[in-house]
Amino acid sequence: MSELVVPIRRVAKFVYILFFVLVAQLTYLQVVRADDLKNDKFNVRTVINEFARPRGDIITSDNQVVAYSQPSKDELKFQRIYPQGPLYGHITGFQSILVGNTGVESAYNSALRGRRGEEQNVPRVVLSINSEIQTLIAEQLGSNIGAIVVMQPSTGSIIGMYSNPTFDPNLVAVHSSSEAQKAYTTLVQDEEKPSVSRAFSERYPPGSTFKIVTAASAIEAGIADAEREFPQAFSFTPPLTDKKIQNFGGGACGGTLQRSFRQSCNVTFAKLGDELKDNFVTEMGKFGFGGQLQNDINVGQAPPLDIEGAVGATAPKENSYAKDAPNFAFAGIGQGLVSASPLSVALFSATIANLGTMPTPHVVDRLEDANGNVTRRIGLSPWKENVISPTTAASVRDFMVDAVNRGTGTRARLNGIQVAGKTGTAQAACAPEAPSCPPHAWFTSFAPAESPEYVVTVFIQRSSGGALSESAATGGQLAAPIAKAVYEKLFALR
Amino acid sequence: MTQSESAATYKILPRSRLRVRTPELLLSSLAVIITISGYALTSLVDNRYLPKQLPSLLLIMVVLIVIAHIGVWILAPRADATLLPLAVFLNGIGFVVISRLDRDEAQAQALWTAIGIFAFVMTLLFIRKTTTLHRYRYTFAFLGLIAIILPAIPGIGSEINGARLWIRVGSFSFQPGEAAKVFLTIFIASYLTDTRDLLARSRRSMGQLFIPDIKFFGPLLVAWGASILVMVRQKDLGSSLLFFAVFAAMLYIATNRASYLVTGLAFFTGAALIAYQLFGHVQVRVQTWLDPWQSPQDEGFQLLQSLFSFGTGGIKGTGLGLGTPNQIPNASTDFIFSAIGEELGLIGSISVIIALILFVASGYRIATRAQRPFAQLFGAGLTTIIGIQAFVILGGVTRVIPLTGVTLPFVSYGGSSLVANYIIVALLLRISDETQKDNLASGTTLTPIESAPQKGFQSK
């Protein structure tokens, strides 16, 4: 036997070791890491496979189809169609191979895509949204920039949610990647941000609607009750500043807490914010305002909406009263460091309506199979319980009833049904070069006040009327009548 | 069963040319069945009926296998019976996946397979003794260098995917580097056979380290260095790595001195560091290997898609034609193994590796059993080419080592590679047959089948 045999065998062994390394790595990739790799966000295979199968419809609670799949002739075998165009854009989102899915298309993807081999039995997603309410709120908002949220306070079911401007998901869902890219670029570059829902993805100063939280905080903290008297005053000057907080319109106001609430008296609520001191942050924290520092802002946990993109509400920093007292007075009237999405405002209104329980908001009601059998019902436990005591909630509810019956919210008053509500006219952050910027008009409410069925929150960021006089651009003038129209429709449908 | 029967036949008619190579034929038939079934499956995904080309494909495959089989039967009747079926199996799996990725490429691959089988028979026909190769070593060295330099010459060479590896004549492109690896292995094996005693014995001592005498080592180093430089310039890192490894392995085998391996490793590390400093594309490869997620849409894209293929395939795979391996750029060439991993799963990818291990094991067995040193060294060199080349690309696509583009032997789409690999099979079979002939002449009564289990070095 030649002397070469031994080294050949050694080389052979070395090569076998290399192959065993490959076997080990393959096992690692195809068994250990298989799921991670399969679900990696850059892995588009799963998505491509999804396009090759019919996808479930998305329908409203009253059976209007808002998304369906249609066979297409290109290599992605099914084209997603949104027959209602922009009306449900922020809710359904879109199915896109280019930028991924958004909205319900993303959140309920695993339900919608169905199972391979079960093409005859594609499931469908039923929204809690009612098409008539959705159409109405879009009409009511018209060309105003803003958003409306209609919710069932007991369940958190969202019956209508619309934000203007919106976008047409069909444009991004097209299969042609050049067209889709163009539409997507146009969409994200638009300065009005039509792709972003003002209803749940953006924060604004809640203005006087926040007096609901201030009043509840003061009662909970034991520093005020409905009967506590506040002096009539033109302004309140917080410590550490000489900047005066004035009443809306410049007049004097005061009296009991209930009267101050009804008249939306800034002086009283600024004073309450100042008196609450650091407790104020703790109390508003129970409503979801603040909790965690992010980029030096005290942001609360985002409402657990079932579709992506909800943002949390902000508050002054914890224990910052000593060096930042003025912001506690400003917070008392929903200005300064306090900001919230219309959804967050709807949620604290729902908490009053539920006497202390904050629901988990959701846009999907249930999943059904092709025969209409319910496979899953989105029945979610409340987001926060015992936010405030039932007695505190009842007091604030009575304030809200009073505000609608004889205060700033009279334009939301309904015949036969008691509405509880609060107006808000918030100073908006203003671009430096702008001569003046119109305030945000708010109205948040629920009805019937004694056994609430609906919460309606109207937010008008910028009125389409352009340069309205300051007294015309108020929550009471602009937003309350819209809420009234929504309630009329809601109770007519019932 | 069949094995012992045919072994018995061997004993009765030891010198007869009319022995039936039953195991080879049966194994080849198995490879044909797997290929045809796979091809039918990929077609059934899109259509509800069997492809029209199926009977003609079956016929072509059977004809090619019969030609190859008869070729071996007549020209190398005592040769190893496993290499050809393994090559046909790997070739067939590759063909199925290529046909699933790109029908035009599949047609070209079928044509190249025919050319490969033709080259296989021609090699057996014209190379009747390994001594012929030994004799013309300088001619082969010259041909090998020419083949390496050719693509770098403007007007002849053409660049595909950033590497100048091809020569183009009309619409026909060919990768002469594939031929070069066979030619240069002939030369190296031959040169080392002549000088191995000198190389092994003469050395200067420098402290603890023994360095071989430059007088004997020199010509080899020059030839080797030149070929590597040219390849690095042509951005063909995979081939450079392959040459390094095969050369080091052959030098080690010839001398049985680990010091050569240490020196080789030192050289390799040095060359790798220099290449990393000098060439941007080498840096990109290494960084992509370290973290493909850093640039998921550009540099890291291809490797990530490959990893996703394996992950998506999982254990069972998506099924032939049911995955989306088209996501990986170059899925039919460098990344064909990822496509296999996705659609056939871990079961499929490990099967391919097992086939490669069996092929390499047969190759080394042929080398260890050969009588003449040249045949041993040459057989080991050829086998190492297949083994290391497979590891370079498989390790690359599975992120064991940085990715360098070489074909997966027999599996990848690519004519030059396929033809060169069939020639390697023919040369290994020639060594195998020659060994048996020598054994018979010297009165040893070993038969290829009988001796295999006892002498297999895996069992050690």
Side-chain angles (χ1 to χ4, degrees), chain B residues 31-72:
Chain B
V32 173
I33 291 167
I34 291 170
T35 309
I36 295 293
S37 321
Y39 185 81
L41 273 179
T42 60
S43 180
L44 283 173
V45 172
D46 289 331
N47 314 304
R48 301 233 170 259
Y49 43 86
L50 289 169
K52 277 182 246 136
Q53 308 93 310
L54 201 65
S56 47
L57 180 73
L58 181 65
L59 187 71
I60 290 169
M61 273 203 85
V62 168
V63 167
L64 286 177
I65 298 296
V66 167
I67 289 175
H69 183 73
I70 293 176
V72 183

mmCIF file of all heavy atoms in Angstrom, chain B residues 31-72:
data_model
loop_
_atom_site.group_PDB
_atom_site.id
_atom_site.type_symbol
_atom_site.label_atom_id
_atom_site.label_comp_id
_atom_site.label_asym_id
_atom_site.label_seq_id
_atom_site.Cartn_x
_atom_site.Cartn_y
_atom_site.Cartn_z
ATOM 1 N N ALA B 31 -32.141 7.273 -10.448
ATOM 2 C CA ALA B 31 -31.928 8.708 -10.639
ATOM 3 C C ALA B 31 -32.858 9.239 -11.721
ATOM 4 O O ALA B 31 -33.410 10.335 -11.598
ATOM 5 C CB ALA B 31 -30.469 8.976 -10.994
ATOM 6 N N VAL B 32 -33.065 8.450 -12.775
ATOM 7 C CA VAL B 32 -33.954 8.873 -13.870
ATOM 8 C C VAL B 32 -35.388 8.975 -13.351
ATOM 9 O O VAL B 32 -36.092 9.959 -13.620
ATOM 10 C CB VAL B 32 -33.879 7.883 -15.060
ATOM 11 C CG1 VAL B 32 -34.936 8.238 -16.108
ATOM 12 C CG2 VAL B 32 -32.494 7.911 -15.680
ATOM 13 N N ILE B 33 -35.807 7.991 -12.566
ATOM 14 C CA ILE B 33 -37.181 8.012 -12.037
ATOM 15 C C ILE B 33 -37.407 9.242 -11.172
ATOM 16 O O ILE B 33 -38.412 9.947 -11.298
ATOM 17 C CB ILE B 33 -37.455 6.714 -11.233
ATOM 18 C CG1 ILE B 33 -37.512 5.515 -12.193
ATOM 19 C CG2 ILE B 33 -38.759 6.825 -10.445
ATOM 20 C CD1 ILE B 33 -37.470 4.163 -11.502
ATOM 21 N N ILE B 34 -36.425 9.542 -10.301
ATOM 22 C CA ILE B 34 -36.550 10.724 -9.429
ATOM 23 C C ILE B 34 -36.674 11.989 -10.274
ATOM 24 O O ILE B 34 -37.534 12.837 -10.040
ATOM 25 C CB ILE B 34 -35.329 10.808 -8.475
ATOM 26 C CG1 ILE B 34 -35.399 9.666 -7.453
ATOM 27 C CG2 ILE B 34 -35.278 12.160 -7.771
ATOM 28 C CD1 ILE B 34 -34.140 9.501 -6.618
ATOM 29 N N THR B 35 -35.823 12.084 -11.302
ATOM 30 C CA THR B 35 -35.837 13.275 -12.145
ATOM 31 C C THR B 35 -37.173 13.425 -12.870
ATOM 32 O O THR B 35 -37.778 14.505 -12.865
ATOM 33 C CB THR B 35 -34.702 13.199 -13.186
ATOM 34 O OG1 THR B 35 -33.493 12.917 -12.502
ATOM 35 C CG2 THR B 35 -34.572 14.487 -13.955
ATOM 36 N N ILE B 36 -37.627 12.346 -13.492
ATOM 37 C CA ILE B 36 -38.862 12.412 -14.272
ATOM 38 C C ILE B 36 -40.052 12.743 -13.369
ATOM 39 O O ILE B 36 -40.884 13.594 -13.689
ATOM 40 C CB ILE B 36 -39.097 11.060 -15.012
ATOM 41 C CG1 ILE B 36 -37.994 10.816 -16.044
ATOM 42 C CG2 ILE B 36 -40.465 11.025 -15.671
ATOM 43 C CD1 ILE B 36 -38.001 11.773 -17.205
ATOM 44 N N SER B 37 -40.097 12.130 -12.184
ATOM 45 C CA SER B 37 -41.204 12.412 -11.267
ATOM 46 C C SER B 37 -41.173 13.872 -10.822
ATOM 47 O O SER B 37 -42.200 14.547 -10.784
ATOM 48 C CB SER B 37 -41.119 11.534 -10.018
ATOM 49 O OG SER B 37 -40.702 10.253 -10.367
ATOM 50 N N GLY B 38 -39.966 14.335 -10.489
ATOM 51 C CA GLY B 38 -39.833 15.733 -10.068
ATOM 52 C C GLY B 38 -40.284 16.680 -11.163
ATOM 53 O O GLY B 38 -41.008 17.641 -10.907
ATOM 54 N N TYR B 39 -39.889 16.380 -12.376
ATOM 55 C CA TYR B 39 -40.251 17.232 -13.508
ATOM 56 C C TYR B 39 -41.765 17.250 -13.695
ATOM 57 O O TYR B 39 -42.366 18.314 -13.903
ATOM 58 C CB TYR B 39 -39.569 16.726 -14.777
ATOM 59 C CG TYR B 39 -39.783 17.614 -15.978
ATOM 60 C CD1 TYR B 39 -39.013 18.764 -16.145
ATOM 61 C CD2 TYR B 39 -40.756 17.318 -16.922
ATOM 62 C CE1 TYR B 39 -39.206 19.597 -17.224
ATOM 63 C CE2 TYR B 39 -40.957 18.148 -18.023
ATOM 64 C CZ TYR B 39 -40.175 19.277 -18.159
ATOM 65 O OH TYR B 39 -40.374 20.096 -19.232
ATOM 66 N N ALA B 40 -42.378 16.084 -13.586
ATOM 67 C CA ALA B 40 -43.841 16.011 -13.730
ATOM 68 C C ALA B 40 -44.517 16.831 -12.623
ATOM 69 O O ALA B 40 -45.478 17.556 -12.876
ATOM 70 C CB ALA B 40 -44.297 14.557 -13.670
ATOM 71 N N LEU B 41 -43.978 16.743 -11.405
ATOM 72 C CA LEU B 41 -44.572 17.475 -10.282
ATOM 73 C C LEU B 41 -44.534 18.983 -10.485
ATOM 74 O O LEU B 41 -45.522 19.671 -10.244
ATOM 75 C CB LEU B 41 -43.822 17.134 -8.987
ATOM 76 C CG LEU B 41 -44.292 15.911 -8.217
ATOM 77 C CD1 LEU B 41 -43.417 15.727 -6.985
ATOM 78 C CD2 LEU B 41 -45.741 16.089 -7.791
ATOM 79 N N THR B 42 -43.368 19.490 -10.909
ATOM 80 C CA THR B 42 -43.270 20.945 -11.088
ATOM 81 C C THR B 42 -44.284 21.404 -12.124
ATOM 82 O O THR B 42 -44.809 22.506 -12.037
ATOM 83 C CB THR B 42 -41.870 21.382 -11.568
ATOM 84 O OG1 THR B 42 -41.603 20.749 -12.808
ATOM 85 C CG2 THR B 42 -40.807 21.036 -10.565
ATOM 86 N N SER B 43 -44.558 20.569 -13.087
ATOM 87 C CA SER B 43 -45.505 20.954 -14.131
ATOM 88 C C SER B 43 -46.952 20.862 -13.646
ATOM 89 O O SER B 43 -47.797 21.663 -14.023
ATOM 90 C CB SER B 43 -45.292 20.053 -15.344
ATOM 91 O OG SER B 43 -46.190 20.409 -16.355
ATOM 92 N N LEU B 44 -47.210 19.892 -12.769
ATOM 93 C CA LEU B 44 -48.582 19.694 -12.273
ATOM 94 C C LEU B 44 -49.054 20.837 -11.383
ATOM 95 O O LEU B 44 -50.250 21.021 -11.170
ATOM 96 C CB LEU B 44 -48.686 18.378 -11.501
ATOM 97 C CG LEU B 44 -48.736 17.125 -12.356
ATOM 98 C CD1 LEU B 44 -48.674 15.887 -11.495
ATOM 99 C CD2 LEU B 44 -50.009 17.115 -13.206
ATOM 100 N N VAL B 45 -48.114 21.622 -10.859
ATOM 101 C CA VAL B 45 -48.508 22.754 -10.031
ATOM 102 C C VAL B 45 -49.313 23.756 -10.837
ATOM 103 O O VAL B 45 -50.331 24.279 -10.393
ATOM 104 C CB VAL B 45 -47.264 23.421 -9.411
ATOM 105 C CG1 VAL B 45 -47.640 24.710 -8.700
ATOM 106 C CG2 VAL B 45 -46.596 22.467 -8.439
ATOM 107 N N ASP B 46 -48.847 24.010 -12.072
ATOM 108 C CA ASP B 46 -49.519 25.013 -12.890
ATOM 109 C C ASP B 46 -50.642 24.428 -13.749
ATOM 110 O O ASP B 46 -51.635 25.082 -14.028
ATOM 111 C CB ASP B 46 -48.511 25.703 -13.820
ATOM 112 C CG ASP B 46 -47.587 26.605 -13.017
ATOM 113 O OD1 ASP B 46 -48.044 27.092 -11.969
ATOM 114 O OD2 ASP B 46 -46.444 26.790 -13.429
ATOM 115 N N ASN B 47 -50.466 23.211 -14.177
ATOM 116 C CA ASN B 47 -51.470 22.605 -15.056
ATOM 117 C C ASN B 47 -52.025 21.370 -14.369
ATOM 118 O O ASN B 47 -51.413 20.820 -13.475
ATOM 119 C CB ASN B 47 -50.824 22.184 -16.371
ATOM 120 C CG ASN B 47 -49.942 23.281 -16.915
ATOM 121 O OD1 ASN B 47 -50.403 24.393 -17.110
ATOM 122 N ND2 ASN B 47 -48.675 22.982 -17.113
ATOM 123 N N ARG B 48 -53.164 20.937 -14.865
ATOM 124 C CA ARG B 48 -53.755 19.753 -14.241
ATOM 125 C C ARG B 48 -53.398 18.470 -14.998
ATOM 126 O O ARG B 48 -53.874 17.410 -14.679
ATOM 127 C CB ARG B 48 -55.279 19.902 -14.125
ATOM 128 C CG ARG B 48 -55.682 21.099 -13.318
ATOM 129 C CD ARG B 48 -56.647 20.724 -12.207
ATOM 130 N NE ARG B 48 -56.854 21.835 -11.301
ATOM 131 C CZ ARG B 48 -56.280 21.985 -10.121
ATOM 132 N NH1 ARG B 48 -55.461 21.056 -9.691
ATOM 133 N NH2 ARG B 48 -56.511 23.024 -9.363
ATOM 134 N N TYR B 49 -52.547 18.615 -16.011
ATOM 135 C CA TYR B 49 -52.158 17.436 -16.771
ATOM 136 C C TYR B 49 -50.632 17.343 -16.825
ATOM 137 O O TYR B 49 -49.923 18.310 -16.537
ATOM 138 C CB TYR B 49 -52.726 17.499 -18.182
ATOM 139 C CG TYR B 49 -52.587 18.858 -18.812
ATOM 140 C CD1 TYR B 49 -51.420 19.208 -19.492
ATOM 141 C CD2 TYR B 49 -53.613 19.800 -18.715
ATOM 142 C CE1 TYR B 49 -51.285 20.455 -20.046
ATOM 143 C CE2 TYR B 49 -53.483 21.064 -19.266
ATOM 144 C CZ TYR B 49 -52.305 21.386 -19.930
ATOM 145 O OH TYR B 49 -52.159 22.626 -20.474
ATOM 146 N N LEU B 50 -50.146 16.169 -17.190
ATOM 147 C CA LEU B 50 -48.710 15.964 -17.280
ATOM 148 C C LEU B 50 -48.141 16.740 -18.457
ATOM 149 O O LEU B 50 -48.819 16.928 -19.467
ATOM 150 C CB LEU B 50 -48.418 14.470 -17.440
ATOM 151 C CG LEU B 50 -48.674 13.631 -16.201
ATOM 152 C CD1 LEU B 50 -48.619 12.157 -16.549
ATOM 153 C CD2 LEU B 50 -47.659 13.952 -15.117
ATOM 154 N N PRO B 51 -46.894 17.216 -18.314
ATOM 155 C CA PRO B 51 -46.319 18.004 -19.410
ATOM 156 C C PRO B 51 -46.166 17.167 -20.675
ATOM 157 O O PRO B 51 -45.872 15.974 -20.624
ATOM 158 C CB PRO B 51 -44.959 18.437 -18.855
ATOM 159 C CG PRO B 51 -44.661 17.483 -17.758
ATOM 160 C CD PRO B 51 -45.978 17.069 -17.198
ATOM 161 N N LYS B 52 -46.352 17.854 -21.822
ATOM 162 C CA LYS B 52 -46.259 17.167 -23.113
ATOM 163 C C LYS B 52 -44.849 16.652 -23.375
ATOM 164 O O LYS B 52 -44.651 15.646 -24.019
ATOM 165 C CB LYS B 52 -46.641 18.149 -24.249
ATOM 166 C CG LYS B 52 -48.144 18.263 -24.448
ATOM 167 C CD LYS B 52 -48.419 19.204 -25.612
ATOM 168 C CE LYS B 52 -49.100 20.436 -25.123
ATOM 169 N NZ LYS B 52 -48.805 21.713 -25.493
ATOM 170 N N GLN B 53 -43.867 17.393 -22.804
ATOM 171 C CA GLN B 53 -42.464 17.034 -23.082
ATOM 172 C C GLN B 53 -42.027 15.802 -22.300
ATOM 173 O O GLN B 53 -40.923 15.317 -22.496
ATOM 174 C CB GLN B 53 -41.522 18.197 -22.726
ATOM 175 C CG GLN B 53 -41.894 19.520 -23.335
ATOM 176 C CD GLN B 53 -42.758 20.330 -22.394
ATOM 177 O OE1 GLN B 53 -43.746 19.834 -21.856
ATOM 178 N NE2 GLN B 53 -42.419 21.584 -22.202
ATOM 179 N N LEU B 54 -42.880 15.314 -21.392
ATOM 180 C CA LEU B 54 -42.443 14.252 -20.485
ATOM 181 C C LEU B 54 -41.909 13.005 -21.206
ATOM 182 O O LEU B 54 -40.812 12.545 -20.894
ATOM 183 C CB LEU B 54 -43.569 13.892 -19.506
ATOM 184 C CG LEU B 54 -43.112 13.191 -18.238
ATOM 185 C CD1 LEU B 54 -42.240 14.096 -17.395
ATOM 186 C CD2 LEU B 54 -44.303 12.716 -17.428
ATOM 187 N N PRO B 55 -42.666 12.477 -22.191
ATOM 188 C CA PRO B 55 -42.143 11.278 -22.868
ATOM 189 C C PRO B 55 -40.824 11.537 -23.581
ATOM 190 O O PRO B 55 -39.899 10.705 -23.501
ATOM 191 C CB PRO B 55 -43.242 10.932 -23.884
ATOM 192 C CG PRO B 55 -44.452 11.653 -23.417
ATOM 193 C CD PRO B 55 -43.990 12.858 -22.678
ATOM 194 N N SER B 56 -40.699 12.705 -24.222
ATOM 195 C CA SER B 56 -39.453 12.978 -24.941
ATOM 196 C C SER B 56 -38.305 13.163 -23.962
ATOM 197 O O SER B 56 -37.175 12.727 -24.215
ATOM 198 C CB SER B 56 -39.602 14.196 -25.864
ATOM 199 O OG SER B 56 -40.208 15.246 -25.190
ATOM 200 N N LEU B 57 -38.608 13.791 -22.814
ATOM 201 C CA LEU B 57 -37.571 13.964 -21.806
ATOM 202 C C LEU B 57 -37.099 12.600 -21.288
ATOM 203 O O LEU B 57 -35.901 12.334 -21.162
ATOM 204 C CB LEU B 57 -38.094 14.814 -20.643
ATOM 205 C CG LEU B 57 -37.086 15.059 -19.519
ATOM 206 C CD1 LEU B 57 -36.012 16.048 -19.944
ATOM 207 C CD2 LEU B 57 -37.769 15.529 -18.259
ATOM 208 N N LEU B 58 -38.090 11.770 -21.018
ATOM 209 C CA LEU B 58 -37.780 10.415 -20.529
ATOM 210 C C LEU B 58 -36.897 9.680 -21.540
ATOM 211 O O LEU B 58 -35.885 9.077 -21.182
ATOM 212 C CB LEU B 58 -39.093 9.658 -20.290
ATOM 213 C CG LEU B 58 -38.976 8.241 -19.747
ATOM 214 C CD1 LEU B 58 -38.381 8.257 -18.359
ATOM 215 C CD2 LEU B 58 -40.336 7.563 -19.715
ATOM 216 N N LEU B 59 -37.279 9.798 -22.785
ATOM 217 C CA LEU B 59 -36.539 9.132 -23.852
ATOM 218 C C LEU B 59 -35.107 9.651 -23.922
ATOM 219 O O LEU B 59 -34.145 8.872 -23.952
ATOM 220 C CB LEU B 59 -37.262 9.357 -25.187
ATOM 221 C CG LEU B 59 -36.699 8.576 -26.359
ATOM 222 C CD1 LEU B 59 -37.024 7.092 -26.213
ATOM 223 C CD2 LEU B 59 -37.235 9.103 -27.689
ATOM 224 N N ILE B 60 -34.967 10.994 -23.883
ATOM 225 C CA ILE B 60 -33.633 11.602 -23.964
ATOM 226 C C ILE B 60 -32.779 11.106 -22.802
ATOM 227 O O ILE B 60 -31.628 10.694 -22.969
ATOM 228 C CB ILE B 60 -33.737 13.143 -23.939
ATOM 229 C CG1 ILE B 60 -34.366 13.640 -25.253
ATOM 230 C CG2 ILE B 60 -32.356 13.774 -23.753
ATOM 231 C CD1 ILE B 60 -34.746 15.111 -25.228
ATOM 232 N N MET B 61 -33.360 11.137 -21.595
ATOM 233 C CA MET B 61 -32.605 10.723 -20.415
ATOM 234 C C MET B 61 -32.163 9.263 -20.526
ATOM 235 O O MET B 61 -31.009 8.935 -20.257
ATOM 236 C CB MET B 61 -33.443 10.905 -19.144
ATOM 237 C CG MET B 61 -33.323 12.291 -18.559
ATOM 238 S SD MET B 61 -33.733 12.280 -16.805
ATOM 239 C CE MET B 61 -32.186 11.808 -16.066
ATOM 240 N N VAL B 62 -33.113 8.416 -20.921
ATOM 241 C CA VAL B 62 -32.800 6.995 -21.029
ATOM 242 C C VAL B 62 -31.700 6.788 -22.066
ATOM 243 O O VAL B 62 -30.733 6.046 -21.830
ATOM 244 C CB VAL B 62 -34.069 6.168 -21.365
ATOM 245 C CG1 VAL B 62 -33.703 4.755 -21.754
ATOM 246 C CG2 VAL B 62 -35.026 6.188 -20.174
ATOM 247 N N VAL B 63 -31.821 7.469 -23.192
ATOM 248 C CA VAL B 63 -30.811 7.327 -24.247
ATOM 249 C C VAL B 63 -29.448 7.763 -23.730
ATOM 250 O O VAL B 63 -28.432 7.062 -23.900
ATOM 251 C CB VAL B 63 -31.225 8.138 -25.501
ATOM 252 C CG1 VAL B 63 -30.051 8.258 -26.472
ATOM 253 C CG2 VAL B 63 -32.432 7.493 -26.175
ATOM 254 N N LEU B 64 -29.424 8.921 -23.026
ATOM 255 C CA LEU B 64 -28.140 9.423 -22.517
ATOM 256 C C LEU B 64 -27.526 8.464 -21.503
ATOM 257 O O LEU B 64 -26.331 8.190 -21.534
ATOM 258 C CB LEU B 64 -28.338 10.808 -21.878
ATOM 259 C CG LEU B 64 -28.561 11.974 -22.856
ATOM 260 C CD1 LEU B 64 -28.814 13.267 -22.103
ATOM 261 C CD2 LEU B 64 -27.363 12.128 -23.791
ATOM 262 N N ILE B 65 -28.373 7.968 -20.595
ATOM 263 C CA ILE B 65 -27.872 7.041 -19.574
ATOM 264 C C ILE B 65 -27.353 5.777 -20.245
ATOM 265 O O ILE B 65 -26.278 5.259 -19.888
ATOM 266 C CB ILE B 65 -29.004 6.671 -18.572
ATOM 267 C CG1 ILE B 65 -29.500 7.903 -17.828
ATOM 268 C CG2 ILE B 65 -28.545 5.592 -17.612
ATOM 269 C CD1 ILE B 65 -28.488 8.559 -16.954
ATOM 270 N N VAL B 66 -28.093 5.288 -21.217
ATOM 271 C CA VAL B 66 -27.671 4.061 -21.908
ATOM 272 C C VAL B 66 -26.346 4.290 -22.627
ATOM 273 O O VAL B 66 -25.436 3.452 -22.558
ATOM 274 C CB VAL B 66 -28.782 3.575 -22.875
ATOM 275 C CG1 VAL B 66 -28.251 2.503 -23.814
ATOM 276 C CG2 VAL B 66 -29.970 3.053 -22.071
ATOM 277 N N ILE B 67 -26.217 5.466 -23.266
ATOM 278 C CA ILE B 67 -24.948 5.770 -23.958
ATOM 279 C C ILE B 67 -23.803 5.781 -22.947
ATOM 280 O O ILE B 67 -22.760 5.144 -23.147
ATOM 281 C CB ILE B 67 -25.038 7.135 -24.691
ATOM 282 C CG1 ILE B 67 -25.977 7.008 -25.904
ATOM 283 C CG2 ILE B 67 -23.648 7.610 -25.120
ATOM 284 C CD1 ILE B 67 -26.227 8.320 -26.614
ATOM 285 N N ALA B 68 -24.010 6.510 -21.820
ATOM 286 C CA ALA B 68 -22.959 6.602 -20.805
ATOM 287 C C ALA B 68 -22.633 5.212 -20.261
ATOM 288 O O ALA B 68 -21.465 4.841 -20.101
ATOM 289 C CB ALA B 68 -23.410 7.526 -19.675
ATOM 290 N N HIS B 69 -23.692 4.472 -20.002
ATOM 291 C CA HIS B 69 -23.533 3.147 -19.420
ATOM 292 C C HIS B 69 -22.773 2.218 -20.358
ATOM 293 O O HIS B 69 -21.830 1.538 -19.949
ATOM 294 C CB HIS B 69 -24.916 2.581 -19.103
ATOM 295 C CG HIS B 69 -24.863 1.262 -18.428
ATOM 296 N ND1 HIS B 69 -24.479 1.122 -17.113
ATOM 297 C CD2 HIS B 69 -25.121 0.016 -18.882
ATOM 298 C CE1 HIS B 69 -24.508 -0.154 -16.789
ATOM 299 N NE2 HIS B 69 -24.903 -0.843 -17.837
ATOM 300 N N ILE B 70 -23.182 2.228 -21.606
ATOM 301 C CA ILE B 70 -22.482 1.383 -22.588
ATOM 302 C C ILE B 70 -21.047 1.849 -22.734
ATOM 303 O O ILE B 70 -20.113 1.043 -22.845
ATOM 304 C CB ILE B 70 -23.240 1.390 -23.949
ATOM 305 C CG1 ILE B 70 -24.586 0.685 -23.792
ATOM 306 C CG2 ILE B 70 -22.396 0.730 -25.045
ATOM 307 C CD1 ILE B 70 -25.460 0.717 -25.037
ATOM 308 N N GLY B 71 -20.852 3.174 -22.679
ATOM 309 C CA GLY B 71 -19.499 3.731 -22.752
ATOM 310 C C GLY B 71 -18.620 3.153 -21.661
ATOM 311 O O GLY B 71 -17.510 2.675 -21.918
ATOM 312 N N VAL B 72 -19.126 3.163 -20.429
ATOM 313 C CA VAL B 72 -18.346 2.635 -19.306
ATOM 314 C C VAL B 72 -18.156 1.128 -19.477
ATOM 315 O O VAL B 72 -17.074 0.587 -19.239
ATOM 316 C CB VAL B 72 -19.047 2.924 -17.959
ATOM 317 C CG1 VAL B 72 -18.195 2.430 -16.794
ATOM 318 C CG2 VAL B 72 -19.309 4.412 -17.809
#
